[in-house]
Amino acid sequence: MEMSGEQSLAPRPHRPKSDKERKIGHRRVGEGGEITYKKIQTTTIMGSIQLGIQHTVGSLASKPRRDLLMMDFWELETISFPPEGSSMTPAHHYSEFKFKIYAPIAFRYFRDLFGIQPDDFMMSMCSAPLRELSNPGASGSIFYLTDDDEFIIKTVQHKEGEFLQKLLPGYYMNLNQNPRTLLPKFFGLYCYQCNSKNVRLVAMNNLLPSYVKMHLKYDLKGSTYKRKANKAERSKSSPTYKDLDFMEHHPNGLFLEAETYSALIKTIQRDCRVLESFKIMDYSLLVGIHNLDLAVKEKQEAAAKARSEGESDYEDAPEADQYMVQEREEQRTTALNRSR
């Protein structure tokens, strides 16, 4: 908690509770529903960072690939985007802004390591408008999701961004020693500057894509103190439960094949050792459960409902069942490929 040395002793005016609920951190929701972050329209931030990412990924293509050097982790590039455009940037309808790219060569190396091609990254990030997630984090961060569900862009505080950059050499070492790590995959660290405001953003992988339904989600810390989802969370269509909920739902735990279990535990142990070396102790394991049997049942019920309404292309039940089996195998393959 930071405190200013020039705090006023005058009593603060009382604000209605509804106003407080519409402001979390730097995120505000106006009376008309418009969302701002540091008093900048989030749609403006979204469009501007897409221009910035498009420029940086394109400019990196002209730089030959090479081994990473220690100085690459501290490199910082800044590019100005005037509305009328320049010899390096396109014209746009936003206010003039600057876009900072932290460690561009290092993050290109990380993207290569994760098998992400530059064209694919640019296409995901810039070919269609980003979607802003409606539920902000507890800190009031803004979350943008790419149209293809592959990547998330999240706003971070100055200290968080600074801390991530300091971790990059250790992160690089961990990726090379433990390629099966379950730690977040970071693809870029940026800063959008406009009207003397700084908005720092990190690009990450989207762990739970919407095209694979998660029937249960858990945020596990390995603790039972106040680790139960509250009433508001449980009332959501897709709640994220906590440790006590997990113990209640799965008293015998989750059963995995011996080889999968051993690999998972070993990876978690190695990841925890890395986090400990970074002096990070506030972290959790996100567990998503996709129930294959329940998914097949849901599709069969949807197909039956469509047939009854005369909207189905299924001609008979056996073909529908065969389709469901095929769909189940495709889902299993998708999940396996994503985990790899």
Side-chain angles (χ1 to χ4, degrees):
M1 178 182 296
E2 295 183 1
M3 297 183 67
S4 170
E6 299 179 356
Q7 292 180 331
S8 172
L9 298 178
R12 295 182 180 179
H14 175 71
R15 291 182 179 180
K17 185 177 180 181
S18 58
D19 287 347
K20 290 184 178 179
E21 291 173 348
R22 300 176 74 82
K23 175 187 172 185
I24 306 177
H26 292 295
R27 184 182 188 271
R28 290 175 172 83
V29 181
E31 293 181 1
E34 69 279 2
I35 302 173
T36 61
Y37 185 83
K38 293 190 175 182
K39 299 183 179 180
I40 305 173
Q41 292 279 349
T42 56
T43 52
T44 297
I45 297 174
M46 176 181 70
S48 300
I49 61 179
Q50 285 185 298
L51 287 174
I53 291 175
Q54 185 173 11
H55 171 82
T56 183
V57 175
S59 65
L60 276 173
S62 62
K63 298 180 180 179
R65 279 170 166 72
R66 56 169 173 76
D67 292 336
L68 276 186
L69 304 175
M70 185 57 68
M71 66 180 185
D72 292 326
F73 297 115
W74 313 113
E75 185 182 356
L76 174 63
E77 291 184 4
T78 303
I79 183 76
S80 295
F81 285 81
E84 66 276 10
S86 69
S87 59
M88 299 177 62
T89 62
H92 57 86
H93 59 275
Y94 306 113
S95 299
E96 180 170 357
F97 68 93
K98 289 184 178 180
F99 195 73
K100 291 185 175 182
I101 308 102
Y102 296 87
I105 298 294
F107 279 108
R108 180 180 68 177
Y109 178 90
F110 296 150
R111 292 194 294 269
D112 288 344
L113 204 61
F114 297 133
I116 299 173
Q117 298 300 316
D119 289 346
D120 294 336
F121 186 66
M122 188 187 297
M123 184 69 69
S124 292
M125 287 288 186
C126 308
S127 64
L130 303 173
R131 286 180 283 145
E132 185 178 336
L133 300 186
S134 57
N135 294 328
S139 62
S141 294
I142 300 291
F143 290 84
Y144 295 112
L145 183 65
T146 57
D147 190 59
D148 60 5
D149 253 10
E150 286 295 320
F151 305 106
I152 283 179
I153 300 177
K154 174 194 174 186
T155 59
V156 295
Q157 299 299 317
H158 172 67
K159 287 186 177 180
E160 291 178 283
E162 197 176 58
F163 185 62
L164 174 58
Q165 192 173 16
K166 287 181 180 178
L167 294 186
L168 290 181
Y171 185 71
Y172 164 77
M173 185 186 301
N174 179 55
L175 290 178
N176 279 280
Q177 294 179 347
N178 184 19
R180 299 182 74 171
T181 179
L182 295 175
L183 295 179
K185 293 179 173 63
F186 297 111
F187 304 127
L189 180 62
Y190 313 104
C191 180
Y192 161 81
Q193 288 185 320
C194 182
N195 298 330
S196 72
K197 300 289 178 61
N198 293 313
V199 179
R200 294 169 180 82
L201 310 114
V202 60
M204 308 165 61
N205 60 320
N206 179 21
L207 288 171
L208 302 177
S210 59
Y211 60 81
V212 178
K213 180 178 180 180
M214 292 298 150
H215 296 93
L216 288 169
K217 287 184 300 177
Y218 298 95
D219 180 86
L220 305 177
K221 286 186 179 291
S223 169
T224 56
Y225 180 68
K226 293 186 177 180
R227 295 297 297 164
K228 192 173 184 69
N230 59 34
K231 181 181 281 189
E233 181 66 33
R234 299 167 85 89
S235 65
K236 295 179 181 178
S237 58
S238 180
T240 300
Y241 295 104
K242 297 184 179 180
D243 299 70
L244 289 174
D245 305 301
F246 182 88
M247 295 167 66
E248 179 183 333
H249 298 165
H250 310 281
N252 297 318
L254 299 177
F255 292 94
L256 304 172
E257 294 178 354
E259 184 179 349
T260 302
Y261 172 83
S262 298
L264 177 62
I265 295 301
K266 184 177 180 181
T267 297
I268 291 176
Q269 289 173 340
R270 295 178 73 176
D271 284 343
C272 289
R273 197 176 301 124
V274 169
L275 292 170
E276 182 181 356
S277 72
F278 291 155
K279 300 191 184 324
I280 297 174
M281 61 177 292
D282 185 14
Y283 55 87
S284 57
L285 177 69
L286 178 62
V287 177
I289 298 177
H290 174 72
N291 189 318
L292 291 171
D293 295 326
L294 186 55
V296 169
K297 183 180 178 182
E298 289 170 347
K299 285 188 174 291
Q300 289 174 335
E301 290 174 350
K305 182 179 180 181
R307 282 198 301 270
S308 67
E309 296 175 352
E311 298 174 358
S312 174
D313 292 332
Y314 295 103
E315 293 184 0
D316 51 43
E319 287 186 8
D321 291 341
Q322 184 177 1
Y323 171 80
M324 295 302 171
V325 172
Q326 180 182 355
E327 184 76 9
R328 175 172 174 168
E329 290 303 314
E330 288 177 355
Q331 289 180 345
R332 189 189 298 273
T333 302
T334 300
L336 180 59
N337 288 337
R338 196 169 188 90
S339 67
R340 285 174 177 168

